[in-house]
Amino acid sequence: MKKQLLVAAIENGTVIDHIPSEKLFAVVNLLHLDQMTSAVTIGYNLESQELGKKSIIKMADKFFTDEELNQLAVICPNLTLCIIRDYEIAEKRTVTLPDELRGIVRCTNPKCITNNEPMHTHFHTIEGQRLRCHYCNTVISLDDVRLVEKA
Amino acid sequence: MRATIVYPSKKKYLWHAKIIMNLSDMEKRSLVTIADHSREKIEYLIQMAQEFEKHPNRHLLEGKVVATLFFEPSTRTRLSFETAANRLGARVIGFADPKVTSGTKGETLKDTIMMVSNYADIIVMRHYLEGAARYASEIAPVPIVNAGDGANQHPSQTMLDLYTIYQTQGTLDNLDIFLVGDLKYGRTVHSMLNAMYHFNPTFHFIAPEELAMPEMYKQFCRQHGIRYVEHTDFNADVISGADILYMTRVQRERFTDLMEYERVKDRYLLKLDMLSKARPNMKILHPLPRVNEIEYSIDDNPHAYYFEQARNGLYARQALLCDALGITLDEVRKDKSII
């Protein structure tokens, strides 16, 4: 039987490939894909030589800002994205952790003001792939990051 | 003899102004953490506190209203701030008991701060949540002075500690500072590291293993080239090299193993005979309250300085209030309202 792509190619938009499957739904939440009106194809637990299981997201007619995409570095530091124009890969992008993250990551300190007041969290990126809470100074390793739950 | 503090040059001030230009005017006048202050700013505030030590009673803040919002009780700090405001002629409003506030009815901190901002020119706040003062400084249309936010920051305590060190040693530079007791949870000793790193200190950390200085603060020291030595013994020989002996209380509630507490609790008590080899300039400081960690017979010893240190809280807080309200050192020096 002939091998076929499980998800169709898109004319214009953004493709995020090689997402570790356990991170897929965090990426979906972070990019607010539930609020998109254009076609979104999500492939989950696909075979991957590199990752074992991988996931892929194809978003038609959707282009993100650098700021939006760099937020992904919090959950997938080595993610690669393809910007598609006219069925061709127009640009390949890697994500880089931004200096500041607002409203993305939850503070692990239960006594932090951000966990007790209706407000956005705010973190600064510091050495060693770690984040420091702008308010209570708690330092979190990227491995322990929990995202803010969207209402 | 006291060293001369050089008034910050115009050039340095412009540089300082430049890096805080992206903050709102109120945010930059607020005091959230001593770590926000440069060496020049710390020296500037010490000079201002010196003026208030000479003449604490003035009409400098006449017509101003200072709000003291204590969402967590703290009699000592509140009385010190309120005395500072009263001695400068300001009027004080606020609460000392959080049970009387609308917070108990579910009001957010933001709403309380916005409401009080309508009445007061400045808000002094203590809160049990960490980061509360930073958040308040971002939303309030008036300056915020942090009087303690949980286990996070207590900058007015740090400022009075620095003032006391300067007052007793004549300088803040190149001192041997020995921190004793609870170095794990004690926010005063952590703030001390943040503030003193401008002044090339050598720290000695004296604590039981359970309450040793946390790794992140030792890392801070290494990153900023601050020398430190760790000790578990506490005796006359260990403290003989100290300029400042900063005592803290070993708190029973910090221990998970009470047997361990019983074993170490009396190892960090300062006794009179331990001062036999102390340097003549050495002063003993303590943020108070003390329980038994400094023997009472030491109170009359010339090395004891903790009660004077507490009094300095008044002058340091007078300087912090004035600075946050936009009153300059020059204006304090030329002030004709001295009573």
Side-chain angles (χ1 to χ4, degrees), chain A:
Chain A
M1 194 178 122
K2 195 181 167 188
K3 270 199 161 181
Q4 271 191 317
L5 266 181
L6 288 170
V7 284
I10 54 172
E11 185 177 352
N12 292 298
T14 306
V15 175
I16 310 176
D17 200 356
H18 303 292
I19 306 169
S21 278
E22 68 276 12
K23 303 282 180 70
L24 173 71
F25 293 102
V27 174
V28 168
N29 285 333
L30 201 58
L31 294 177
H32 304 289
L33 296 191
D34 54 327
Q35 292 164 24
M36 276 183 59
T37 50
S38 59
V40 178
T41 313
I42 297 175
Y44 182 47
N45 283 339
L46 309 180
E47 295 294 329
S48 163
Q49 284 186 338
E50 264 179 58
L51 300 169
K53 298 278 186 190
K54 70 161 185 179
S55 291
I56 182 169
I57 304 173
K58 294 192 173 193
M59 292 154 282
D61 304 318
K62 180 69 183 174
F63 302 97
F64 296 96
T65 63
D66 285 359
E67 197 184 350
E68 285 172 315
L69 292 178
N70 284 338
Q71 292 173 6
L72 292 173
V74 175
I75 39 178
C76 300
N78 303 313
L79 213 56
T80 308
L81 299 105
C82 295
I83 314 297
I84 310 290
R85 293 190 199 279
D86 199 18
Y87 294 106
E88 298 286 332
I89 296 175
E91 191 187 339
K92 270 201 170 190
R93 297 261 315 275
T94 52
V95 294
T96 50
L97 196 60
D99 293 340
E100 289 186 276
L101 293 159
R102 289 174 194 266
I104 306 293
V105 174
R106 191 174 160 185
C107 186
T108 53
N109 174 9
K111 285 187 73 185
C112 177
I113 186 73
T114 59
N115 285 320
N116 295 274
E117 184 85 1
M119 61 185 285
H120 282 309
T121 64
H122 182 180
F123 281 85
H124 302 274
T125 305
I126 58 171
E127 280 173 33
Q129 296 272 294
R130 293 177 305 158
L131 304 175
R132 181 177 61 79
C133 176
H134 175 71
Y135 294 99
C136 74
N137 294 313
T138 294
V139 173
I140 307 174
S141 161
L142 273 190
D143 300 332
D144 302 324
V145 156
R146 285 172 60 201
L147 299 183
V148 170
E149 286 166 24
K150 303 288 177 195

Side-chain angles (χ1 to χ4, degrees), chain B residues 191-209:
Chain B
S191 296
M192 179 84 82
L193 298 184
N194 282 328
M196 284 302 293
Y197 94 90
H198 300 294
F199 301 98
N200 189 36
T202 301
F203 281 107
H204 289 251
F205 303 144
I206 304 171
E209 279 175 24

